Amino acid sequence: MEASTTTAARSARGRRPARVSGDERERAILATAERLLGERSLHEISVDDLARGAGISRPTFYFYFASKEAVLLALMDRLVAEARSGIELGMLARDPRGVVRRGIASVHDTFREHRPVALASIDVRAKSPAVRELWSRVMEGFVDESTAAIESERARGAAPQGVPARDLAIALNLMNERVFHASLSGEAPAIDEDAELDALVAIWLLAIYGTTDPPSAVD
Amino acid sequence: MEASTTTAARSARGRRPARVSGDERERAILATAERLLGERSLHEISVDDLARGAGISRPTFYFYFASKEAVLLALMDRLVAEARSGIELGMLARDPRGVVRRGIASVHDTFREHRPVALASIDVRAKSPAVRELWSRVMEGFVDESTAAIESERARGAAPQGVPARDLAIALNLMNERVFHASLSGEAPAIDEDAELDALVAIWLLAIYGTTDPPSAVD
DNA sequence: GACGTTGTCAACACTCTGTCGAGAATTCTC
DNA sequence: GAGAATTCTCGACAGAGTGTTGACAACGTC
């Protein structure tokens, strides 16, 4: 796979480099990691597997990445960028139900699309401080946005006071993460993929508004 | 396959304790593991650490446990037994708010009391199928009870229809697990220990009843 | 006082990680 | 286009862990 031969757009001299370029090697490692993560956990993948998959020796692997966790981190960067993109909680008042649904669906879809990476990111958190920190930052971002949205809905009178907005936001976001992880990993008590979205949206709306049919702003 | 799989190399009771009995050694290993888990993760604890802590050599450790995961499994047995004991969802109709609160508080307290074990149990899930399965069974138990309670409240007319009871139960229980884990591990977005209970109880009540002040049965 | 059971450990075989240093390939500089 | 600088590559090493083997000691039992 990633048979290397073509299209580096590298040499204008028409001479094919006898050696594959560094960028290509790096990409090959990333691709190998993603492929292998679809089959087994990072814990069951050795640096040697990654190196061989990319057509290099183990020591050479270390020229590109400090560890296999570093590879996952690089893979996570992409995932994170994509997951963020679907959130637009600023518009919450306009169509609460729709905005909540689309926001949750966006993360849901992104995770589904990159299942191996999403799963590994969560699983490796326990072992790798760097992964833990990156994930932490991402969750923090989601929580901040959710908190602001809840507060604004309360200010507008559409949502009742109650649990501190930030606590509510944390619990709901952590719930999503855990529910996604459960269904993605196929573990024991998990919600069916098709029902997942409905359940999460309903809980968010009930927890924030006290009803699954909150009033939209009549501008 | 549900009998004590935890102590791999153990055999029949009835043996009279000798000088330094096997049971004592086993307890010493367990105690060492619990102590060490208060300082670092299972991943950072070697079998040698466990053996030395219990005053035996590494090979001897394997006489008592098949691996360090097996030690955690034994520790989990206690935790699980205790966590289960505080739940009495059968009485939900009598005092919804109080029962939910006491149920969540019970698990919360148990986890706090055995923080190292609770934390390790969740963290090691990713690596150890046996731990994953045990945890799975426990969650399944919580979910079954919650589902039955929700359905009974709906039948009684105290809780509205909506999301399938089981899906609701799964999401809420997974939320609790994740929120507890976050605050226990001191990770980034987490609810303050003192506010945790209020937040979770409120979300449970809102998700099930649509209000934080559900009606109790007026027998 | 032999006998099986329980308990013990030195030594071994193995897997995996991460590093070092010597050198090959490619690009830069004049 | 020769040499220097940079980028890349890997054989060989040093360690940390894991789990197993086989010999052997202590003890209760008959």
Side-chain angles (χ1 to χ4, degrees), chain A residues 125 136 163 167 177-178 188 202 210, chain B residues 125 136 163 177-178 188 195 202 210:
Chain A
R125 249 189 347 199
S136 215
V163 173
D167 290 350
E177 182 209 293
R178 188 66 187 85
Chain B
R125 250 189 348 198
S136 214
V163 173
E177 183 209 292
R178 189 65 186 87

Side-chain angles (χ1 to χ4, degrees), chain B:
Chain B
M1 75 153 68
E2 71 98 314
S4 183
T5 51
T6 54
T7 51
R10 239 266 239 53
S11 57
R13 285 280 143 129
R15 210 94 228 96
R16 243 249 250 53
R19 262 294 97 100
V20 200
S21 87
D23 274 7
E24 217 164 308
R25 238 91 224 237
E26 196 174 312
R27 259 180 280 120
I29 294 174
L30 256 10
T32 303
E34 193 152 14
R35 177 167 54 79
L36 258 29
L37 279 175
E39 299 165 8
R40 44 206 154 109
S41 75
L42 189 65
H43 165 251
E44 296 164 319
I45 297 170
S46 71
V47 170
D48 204 48
D49 293 333
L50 258 21
R52 287 187 128 65
I56 54 178
S57 73
R58 208 167 53 79
T60 300
F61 167 93
Y62 287 101
F63 180 82
Y64 293 100
F65 294 95
S67 65
K68 57 184 180 180
E69 276 78 28
V71 177
L72 178 60
L73 239 26
L75 253 18
M76 281 176 72
D77 279 343
R78 299 190 212 160
L79 178 75
V80 165
E82 196 175 328
R84 275 196 220 273
S85 71
I87 316 283
E88 21 107 52
L89 288 177
M91 294 280 90
L92 190 57
R94 197 71 65 112
D95 170 20
R97 197 198 184 98
V99 169
V100 166
R101 187 177 194 87
R102 283 194 299 278
I104 297 179
S106 158
V107 178
H108 177 266
D109 291 348
T110 305
F111 278 22
R112 286 268 153 202
E113 221 166 305
H114 301 282
R115 210 197 80 142
V117 179
L119 224 37
S121 302
I122 295 179
D123 286 341
V124 170
R125 250 189 348 198
K127 208 202 290 188
S128 161
V131 168
R132 186 159 55 244
E133 247 162 66
L134 175 50
W135 197 261
S136 214
R137 264 202 306 280
V138 173
M139 291 303 289
E140 202 76 80
F142 288 159
V143 167
D144 287 347
E145 283 195 67
S146 312
T147 303
I150 292 169
E151 269 164 358
S152 131
E153 287 296 84
R154 285 181 175 178
R156 172 194 147 218
Q161 298 299 321
V163 173
R166 189 176 161 80
D167 291 350
L168 193 52
I170 292 174
L172 292 174
N173 275 285
L174 290 179
M175 171 180 73
N176 282 15
E177 183 209 292
R178 189 65 186 87
V179 167
F180 288 149
H181 179 258
S183 75
L184 240 34
S185 72
E187 69 183 65
I191 303 178
D192 188 75
E193 181 186 348
D194 303 315
E196 201 168 57
L197 197 50
D198 288 336
L200 293 177
V201 170
I203 296 173
W204 274 65
L205 294 176
L206 284 163
I208 297 173
Y209 297 98
T211 169
T212 49
D213 205 10
S216 52
V218 212
D219 66 313

Side-chain angles (χ1 to χ4, degrees), chain A residues 51 155 193 215:
Chain A
E193 182 185 348

Side-chain angles (χ1 to χ4, degrees), chain A residues 3 9 18 28 62 100 115 210 218:
Chain A
Y62 288 101
V100 167
R115 209 196 80 137
V218 211

Side-chain angles (χ1 to χ4, degrees), chain A residues 99-165:
Chain A
V99 169
V100 167
R101 187 177 194 88
R102 283 194 298 278
I104 296 179
S106 159
V107 177
H108 177 266
D109 292 347
T110 304
F111 278 23
R112 286 269 152 201
E113 221 166 304
H114 301 283
R115 209 196 80 137
V117 178
L119 225 36
S121 302
I122 295 179
D123 286 341
V124 171
R125 249 189 347 199
K127 208 203 290 190
S128 160
V131 169
R132 187 159 55 245
E133 248 160 66
L134 175 50
W135 197 261
S136 215
R137 260 201 309 282
V138 174
M139 290 303 290
E140 203 76 79
F142 287 161
V143 167
D144 286 348
E145 282 194 67
S146 312
T147 304
I150 293 169
E151 270 163 357
S152 130
E153 286 298 84
R154 285 181 175 178
R156 171 195 149 217
Q161 297 299 319
V163 173

